[in-house]
Amino acid sequence: MAITTADVEKIAELARLDLTPEETQSFTDQLSSIITHIDKLNELDTGHVAPMSHCSTATGDAEFARRDDIAGPSLGADVATQNGPDHEGGYFKVPRVIGG
């Protein structure tokens, strides 16, 4: 599947992006290259590969991915908000944005 300039322009329109002609051409080339790479990967025979049910961690510790969740004490509102720029009574104070 080739990516055309019209495809990039449509995506830019949907994303509300104003692209220059140079950027449009650059993105067309880059996206086409990505699609070509994916098409190449789709040529691989993966029929003999079993589906994964869990991903492994960087260290290969697959047991960590299946650990039980253990409830622990929370920080509490005062401690959680104390490093905020403006806080009071366990809440972050922000400027009024609705009905102001």
Side-chain angles (χ1 to χ4, degrees), residues 15-97:
R16 307 275 196 266
L17 298 174
D18 292 324
L19 300 179
T20 65
E22 294 80 19
E23 290 172 326
T24 301
Q25 187 57 50
S26 176
F27 285 127
T28 301
D29 295 342
Q30 291 175 34
L31 290 171
S32 292
S33 175
I34 292 168
I35 295 297
T36 300
H37 182 70
I38 291 171
D39 286 341
K40 188 78 166 165
L41 291 174
N42 284 335
E43 294 175 8
L44 294 173
D45 177 20
T46 58
H48 63 283
V49 178
M52 293 178 56
S53 61
H54 291 85
C55 64
S56 63
T57 62
T59 61
D61 182 12
E63 192 60 36
F64 179 75
R66 293 187 294 266
R67 68 171 170 74
D68 292 333
D69 288 334
I70 301 170
S74 68
L75 292 174
D78 288 326
V79 174
T81 59
Q82 72 183 359
N83 288 328
D86 195 8
H87 59 89
E88 182 179 308
Y91 295 96
F92 292 110
K93 292 174 69 177
V94 298
R96 178 176 287 219
V97 293

